[in-house]
Structures are given as C-alpha cells and as structure tokens.
C-alpha cells in the first residue's frame, strides 16, 4: 500500500507538527463506510421483515363468551381507515405514536376496560363498587382483572378471539363513549364539534381501538409480556415494564461509553481528523454566484422562507389548542382549522421548506463544483420549481379538503393519507418522488465535468451518492396503504422518519457543508472528503440499526429492543463531536491565519453562524434530548409525552432548520451585490438570533419542563392518565402550554419574519440587478 496514504499516519500517530503531508485518501475509508452501510441496512431489513410474522394477529372474529360476534377483521381494518381519514393520528396516538392533543386511544380504552372489569367482579364477589372494598378485597379484584386481561384466548387455527365474561356488554357501550369524545373541541383537543357522527364509522373505530388495546395487554404466546412489550404502562391492567427493557437500557450505556471512548481516542491520536485547516486560510466568496442556473435557485428560497413563516403560524395555532382547546381568543378556530389539520400542516410545512432548501442548495453547489453549466440546466431548474410548488400546494389543500371529508372515495390518494409525517396523499407522494428523481438528474448533468476531473471526482461522486439516497430511501413510503397492518406500517414509516431524515439527510448535510468549506478555501479537498467518510461511518454505525428504537412498543419482539437500544446509544457519539465542529467554526470567524497572522475575514459570516447553531442544537436536541428518550426503560414511560416534541423541535428545527436557513443565507450572499447585502444583513442578523433564542425559550420555558412533569404523572398515575384530560386539562399542564407563547412570538416575529423579508427583498432586487459574480461558461 502506498506510504503516502492515511494508513501511514494511523500507524505512526505522529503529533500534528510532525505529520507528513498526506496527498491521497486511503481506500479503507470507502470500504469501511460501505461495509457499515450494507451490514446496517441488512440488520434493519431483517428486523423490519420479521414484523410480518411477529405482528399482533388480527382476529377474523372477536366473540363474547356467549358466542355472539362483536366485530370482525373487516371492522378492524375499516376502523383503522376511519382513524386515518379523519386525521386522528394527528390528534392522539396508538401505542404512543401520533400527536399529543388527544389521548392515546389504546391506553384510554385499555384502562376503562380494566375499570369496567373491576367494577363487575366487585359487584359479583362482594356486592359493592371497587372504592367501597377493603384493601385486601381490592387487591384480590385487581389481581383477577390483571389475570383476565393478560390471558390470550386467540386461536390461531380458527382465527377467533374469545373475550372475557364482562367484555361483551361493555364493548357495545363504547361507541357512545367515543361519540361523546368527538362531541366538542374541549373534549377532543380541538377537533371540530361532532367530528365523527356516522354510527357505523364510530363502531368500526371502536373495533380498531379495541384490537389495539387487546394487543397491548394480552400476553404474546409463550411469553409473560404482551405483543407491545407491556406498553402502555398501566398497573391496573397488569402492564408494567419488562425485565428486557431494564436490561437493554443498562447494556446500551456500555455501548455509549465504549463508543465515545474509542472515537475520542481516535481524535486524540490522529490529528488529521475533523475540520483541520491547512496553510493559508482566507475564505472568499465563490466567483460563480451569478450563473443563470444558480440565480434560478433564488426563487426556491422565497418559497422556503414563506413556508417557514406558515409553519411557525401553524405551530403556534397547534400549541394554542393545547393551552385552550375550546377557543382561539373567543373564536372557534376548529370550524375551519381544527387542531389535527394545523398539526398536519405544521409537520408537512417543516418537511417541505427544509427539503426545498436542501434541493436548491444542492443545485447551486452542483453548478459550482461542476464548473460548467449544461445546456438547458436553467430550464430544468425552473421546471422542477413548478413541480415542487404543485406538490406543496396540492397536498396542503388536499389535506384540508380531505379532513373535511369532501373526498369520500379518493381521500387516500388526493387528501390526507393519515399516517403521521406522511400525511400527503399517495398521488402527491408519487409526484414528489418523480420530482426528486428529476432533481437527481439535474445534479448528474451539472456534475459530469467534475466526475471526469481526477481532482474532483471523489467528492463529486459522494455528492451524487448522497443525493441519490434521498429519492431511493423515500420508496418505503409506497410499501403500505390505509389497510396495511398498523405494526407493519410503523416499521416502514420509520425508515422515512428516522432513516431517511436522521440518516441519509444527515449524510447529505455533511456533503453539502464539506463542499461549501472546500470551495471557500477553508479546508482542502482531501480533508473535506475524509470528513464525509468519517461522518458516514459514525452516523451509519448507530443510526441505521438504531432506527428500531422507534419500534420498541409497536409489535416488535425483544430482538429489536436489544439491537436498537445498543446501536441507538451510538447515535450520540458523533453528536458529541459536533461541539468540536462548532468551536472550530467559532475559531475560524474570530482568529488570524496561523501562517501570515492576518485577520481572517469571513464573507459568509452568517452562514458560519447558522452552522455553529447546527452543531450546538445537534448536540443538545439530537444528542442530549434524543438519548434521554431512547433508552427502552425511559421510552416505556415517556413515549408520546411532551419530551418527544421537546426532542423533535430542538433536533428538527435546531439542526435541519438552521442548516436550511444557512443555505438560504449562503445563496443570497453569493447572488446579490455587496451593496444590497449591506441592506439585507440586518434582517439576517435579527432572524438568526430570533430563531435560536425563540427555540431556546420554547424548550426551556415549556417543552422540557412540561415533558418532565408529564413523565412524573405517567409514573405516578399511569400512561392513560398523563395522556388524557385528567392531566392535560389541569391548570399546571395548561400553564406550561401558555409559557410557550413568548418563545413562539420571538421565533415568529424576530426569526421567521425577518428571514422572509430578507429573501423577498433579495429576490425582487436581484431580478432588477446584474449578477454579483461571473457566469459559468
């Protein structure tokens, strides 16, 4: 092997001052990255495919003791479709997955079933209600209830499930109970009054919820725990943590400590790891910011800033429903914009504006890296813009009309598909996937010159590989429909939510940032390429298999819990290193060149500031808050409480959001003249501090303390209680929701709005002014 490659440095581990100049990249960076990627995907695929055999069975018929049929498998599947088409996954949760405005449907049903069973047994045994019994009598009744609920009477040969003696009459009353829930926004967390009125749909929804409750408590055959590993926590029903949840939580800490130690050892020993600068470091604006294709991307960022502003308004409205579900300052907002619609828009707008920023940023950088502008590239960028705009507008309007039940036959295709994070109708998903493939084609055309250039071939290839992963790993969104088993859907759904977003988008981010720094002149191409491979190794090592930590309680067995707990702990390891990246960025913007001692002037200062924010929030939001809820024993009590959106807001907005806005600022700075930039910079400055201070206020004043208090209530009173009005309707709970208002206002007024003004101003002025840089020939 050539002595000039990285292996020489690895073997000798020389101090930085004595290190030889390394001119080539060891092929082992590529090999190890590929090995980890393939092996991780193989294990995750195995876990996902096992759910087809291990998922809770859907009985062909559910019978009372007297043999009468209560509901069938068709009722269960139809009830799931009712749950989806009315957008109830953006109201409450099933097995902890969904929204936090309503209850956990399965937990609520299970607890009321346990109470009904206890009341019947108390009357039969003692002629009294449970609260009139002595402690000994109450203990005996509760033990009988737990034994009854835990008994699994499902017959796999006939497909029949026979319920206990108290179940039949009680089940028939539940349709009216859910009818009461949907009767007013106050009861339902902001759904429109009488959101579901059809008796058949209410009965079908009850059948679906009843099945999810049964699966959550009945013991898996041959095991002492349920199909959902005893989730949700409800001691009255007999659901308590399993030994495996404790065991794998403890063992995952070993992985965390061991992985952290190994990575820190490597960074201490091999001085060339990380964002290391070489020689003179004087970042400059790129000279190619005025090409037609690059200037064509600016209108994408107009849409980015508009969607960001809309998302913050939808988020503020959603949060208000938690504080006051019955009124919006005296106006019944649920008549036109019910809480589940605003929550759907809040999620979809976030995905749209962040993804659009990445798409446009990649198009801009591909022109820079390729060095030549292919014929028709600008026209292609224009066409892609209109295609994406059609998807955004069409899907948002479709979700609105769909939730109003104006698309009774085609709601799944053009309306609200109903699955959280993937609410846009299937037809819009197809269009989005096609648009992403077209985007990849534009990137290939732009980067062909770089692929033919030996100097740039490696980083251009990584650029395209990272881009291809975006449309390719969106394909699992097509693997299910509204009638697919809930457990199977949730397994594939998190290939999108976690693997697509937190895995390959993270990798794509690294490629974009490395490309920017390389073209700035901050790092060499060798360093940029090495960082891409290093981050790929670190992110894929934990993040791929760690995807399964979302599936602890949705029908997977303990094999998933064991693997996911240990590998998801490794996800924290690369995030700890981001603090070093943030400090490197800070040092670069406040230092002098180590060779010539001249002060380093950074023309893209605010781009660097947003990257610093990315590093900080990645460590806090994804690292600290993410690890807090990833341990199985913590997730068991926490899943579906406000600690989940605490992590989600800090990670999604703090990381992907800051990077998306950083790309917006980068493109504006590259595109407009210095004179215009001086007018725009004040808006960018205010926007940067408004977004990050507002986000911090949301977390510190509301989301984190509210999540801790809700977690305490779960432990003290059971999961059903903390997720229902018994807790969320208390003065304490709603006070924490009102405390989110100051952070929301700062975020909207001083964050999103100035960014919107700056982008609009830049776009309008750019159309009147000549390009700021030179065109690519």
């Amino acid at each position: 092997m050539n002595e000039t490659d990285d292996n020489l440095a690895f073997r000798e581990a020389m101090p930085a001052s004595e290190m030889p100049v390394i001119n080539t990249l060891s092929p082992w960076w590529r090999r190890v990255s590929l090995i980890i990627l393939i092996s991780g995907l193989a294990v995750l695929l195995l876990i996902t495919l096992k759910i087809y055999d291990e998922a809770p069975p859907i009985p062909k018929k559910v019978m009372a003791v007297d043999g009468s049929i209560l509901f069938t498998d068709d009722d269960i599947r139809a009830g799931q479709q009712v749950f989806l088409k009315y957008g109830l996954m953006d109201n409450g949760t099933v097995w902890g997955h969904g929204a936090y405005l309503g209850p956990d449907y399965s937990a609520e049903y299970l607890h009321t079933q346990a109470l009904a069973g206890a009341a019947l047994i108390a009357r039969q045994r003692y002629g009294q209600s449970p609260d009139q019994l002595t402690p000994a009598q109450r203990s005996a009744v509760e033990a009988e209830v737990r034994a009854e609920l835990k008994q699994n009477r499902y017959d796999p040969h006939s497909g029949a499930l026979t319920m206990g003696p108290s179940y039949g009459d009680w089940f028939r009353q539940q349709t009216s109970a859910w009818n009461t829930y949907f009767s007013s926004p106050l009861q339902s967390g902001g759904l429109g009054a009488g959101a579901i009125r059809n008796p058949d749909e209410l009965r079908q929804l009850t059948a679906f919820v009843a099945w999810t409750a049964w699966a959550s408590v009945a013991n898996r055959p041959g095991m002492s725990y349920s199909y959902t590993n005893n989730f949700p926590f409800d001691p009255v029903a007999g659901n308590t943590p399993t030994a495996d949840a404790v065991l794998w939580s403890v063992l995952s800490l070993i992985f965390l400590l061991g992985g952290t130690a190994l990575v820190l050892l490597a960074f201490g020993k091999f001085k060339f790891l990380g964002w290391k600068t070489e020689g003179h470091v004087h970042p400059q604006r790129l000279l190619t910011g005025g090409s037609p294709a690059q200037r064509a991307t600016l209108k994408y960022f107009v849409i980015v800033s508009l969607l960001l502003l809309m998302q913050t308004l939808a988020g503020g409205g959603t949060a208000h429903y938690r504080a006051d579900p019955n009124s919006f300052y005296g106006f019944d907002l649920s008549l036109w914009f019910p809480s589940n619609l605003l929550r759907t828009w809040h999620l979809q707008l976030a995905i749209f504006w962040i993804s659009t920023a990445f798409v446009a940023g990649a198009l801009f950088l591909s022109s820079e890296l390729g060095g030549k502008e292919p014929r028709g590239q600008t026209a292609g960028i224009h066409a892609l813009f209109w295609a994406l705009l059609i998807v955004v507008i069409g899907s948002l309007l479709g979700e609105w009309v769909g939730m109003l039940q104006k698309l009774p036959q085609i709601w799944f295709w053009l309306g609200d598909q109903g699955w959280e994070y993937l609410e846009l109708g299937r037809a819009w998903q197809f269009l989005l996937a096609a648009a992403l493939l077209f985007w990849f084609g534009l990137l290939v055309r732009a980067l062909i010159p770089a692929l033919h250039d030996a100097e740039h071939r490696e980083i251009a290839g990584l650029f395209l590989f990272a881009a291809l992963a975006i449309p390719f790993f969106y394909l699992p969104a097509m693997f299910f429909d509204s009638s697919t088993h809930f457990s199977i859907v949730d397994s594939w759904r998190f290939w999108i939510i976690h693997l697509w977003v937190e895995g390959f988008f993270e990798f794509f981010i690294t490629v974009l940032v490395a490309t920017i720094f390389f073209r700035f002149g901050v790092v060499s191409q060798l360093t940029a390429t090495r960082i891409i491979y290093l981050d790929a190794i670190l992110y894929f090592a934990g993040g791929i298999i760690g995807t399964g930590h979302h599936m602890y309680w949705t029908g997977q067995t303990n094999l998933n819990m064991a693997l996911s707990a240990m590998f998801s702990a490794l996800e924290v390891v690369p995030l700890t290193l981001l603090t070093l990246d943030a400090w490197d960025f800070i040092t670069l913007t406040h230092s002098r060149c180590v060779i010539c001692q001249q002060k380093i002037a950074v023309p893209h200062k605010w781009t660097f500031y947003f990257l610093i924010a990315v590093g900080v929030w990645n460590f806090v939001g994804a690292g600290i808050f993410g690890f807090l809820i990833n341990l199985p024993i913590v997730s068991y009590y926490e899943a579906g409480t406000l600690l989940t959106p605490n992590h989600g807001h800090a990670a999604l907005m703090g990381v992907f959001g800051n990077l998306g806005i950083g790309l917006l600022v980068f493109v504006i700075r590259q595109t407009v003249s210095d004179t215009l930039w001086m007018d725009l910079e004040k808006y960018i400055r205010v926007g940067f501090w408004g977004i990050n201070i507002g986000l911090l206020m949301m977390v510190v004043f509301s989301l984190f303390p509210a999540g801790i208090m809700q977690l305490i209530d779960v432990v003290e009173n059971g999961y059903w209680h903390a997720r229902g009005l018994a807790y969320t309707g208390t003065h304490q709970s709603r006070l924490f929701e009102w405390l989110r208002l100051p952070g929301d206002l700062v975020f909207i007024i001083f964050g999103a709005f100035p960014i919107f003004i700056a982008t609009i101003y830049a776009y309008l002025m750019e159309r009147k002014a000549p390009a700021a840089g030179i065109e690519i020939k």
Side-chain angles (χ1 to χ4, degrees), residues 586-603:
I586 294 172
T587 301
L588 180 61
T589 57
H590 296 83
S591 62
R592 297 179 179 274
C593 177
V594 295
I595 295 180
C596 66
Q597 294 302 308
Q598 293 184 16
K599 182 175 175 56
I600 298 177
V602 182

Side-chain angles (χ1 to χ4, degrees), residues 118-304:
L120 178 64
I121 294 172
R123 286 195 303 270
Q124 291 175 340
R125 298 283 188 276
Y126 307 105
Q128 296 177 313
S129 62
D131 58 349
Q132 295 174 318
L133 302 179
T134 67
Q137 291 171 333
R138 188 180 300 112
S139 296
V141 168
E142 290 174 352
E144 190 169 344
V145 169
R146 289 192 292 269
E148 170 63 33
L149 291 173
K150 283 292 179 183
Q151 185 175 354
N152 191 340
R153 294 190 176 93
Y154 174 70
D155 182 356
H157 300 292
S158 66
L161 171 62
T162 304
M163 302 305 292
S166 64
Y167 192 83
D169 292 338
W170 178 81
F171 171 79
R172 295 184 182 97
Q173 301 170 10
Q174 295 314 295
T175 297
S176 62
W178 287 111
N179 184 53
T180 300
Y181 173 75
F182 295 116
S183 64
S184 72
L186 182 62
Q187 292 287 330
S188 62
L191 297 179
I196 305 179
R197 291 188 172 94
N198 186 301
D200 290 335
E201 290 183 330
L202 285 169
R203 184 183 62 81
Q204 292 164 346
L205 176 65
T206 303
F208 169 66
V209 173
W211 169 75
T212 65
W214 168 80
S216 70
V217 70
N219 282 340
R220 188 182 284 272
M223 301 296 177
S224 59
Y225 49 82
S226 73
Y227 294 98
T228 61
N229 292 306
N230 282 359
F231 182 87
F233 174 59
D234 190 342
V236 175
N239 268 3
T240 54
T242 64
D244 291 273
V246 177
L247 172 65
W248 296 114
S249 297
V250 173
L251 293 181
S252 68
L253 295 176
I254 297 176
F255 264 57
L256 169 64
L257 296 175
T260 303
L262 287 174
V263 171
L264 292 179
L265 175 64
F267 267 71
K269 184 175 183 181
F270 307 118
K271 303 299 183 181
F272 56 80
L273 296 179
W275 297 101
K276 304 303 179 184
T277 59
E278 301 97 353
H280 290 276
V281 178
H282 295 283
Q284 300 294 324
R285 283 181 63 195
L286 307 182
L287 296 178
T288 55
S291 77
Q294 289 177 316
R295 296 178 72 184
T297 64
L298 190 55
K299 61 179 171 292
Y300 284 74
F301 291 103
V302 172
I303 299 302
V304 166

Side-chain angles (χ1 to χ4, degrees), residues 32 123 139 226 342 421 500 582 600 698 724:
V32 173
R123 286 195 303 270
S139 296
S226 73
L342 289 185
Y421 288 100
W500 190 57
I600 298 177
M698 288 185 218

Side-chain angles (χ1 to χ4, degrees), residues 6 10 25-40 259 262-263 266-267 272-273 462 465 503-504 506-507 510 529-545 567 570-571 573-575 577:
D6 289 345
F10 272 94
L25 190 74
S26 167
W28 280 102
W29 285 106
R30 305 183 200 94
R31 295 167 186 168
V32 173
S33 300
L34 193 60
I35 290 170
I36 290 176
L37 173 63
I38 293 174
S39 58
L262 287 174
V263 171
F267 267 71
F272 56 80
L273 296 179
L462 287 169
F465 175 79
F504 290 99
E506 287 274 13
F507 177 51
T510 301
T529 307
R530 187 191 298 119
I531 286 172
I532 293 172
Y533 282 121
L534 175 63
D535 280 7
I537 291 170
L538 295 176
Y539 279 120
F540 293 160
I544 295 179
I545 300 176
F567 281 92
L570 292 179
E571 292 182 72
V573 175
L575 300 179
L577 302 177

Side-chain angles (χ1 to χ4, degrees), residues 617 649-650 653-654 690-700 743 747:
W617 282 111
H649 281 73
M653 181 58 226
I691 282 172
N692 286 285
I693 292 175
L695 180 59
L696 182 64
M697 291 172 66
M698 288 185 218
V699 169
V700 172
F747 193 98

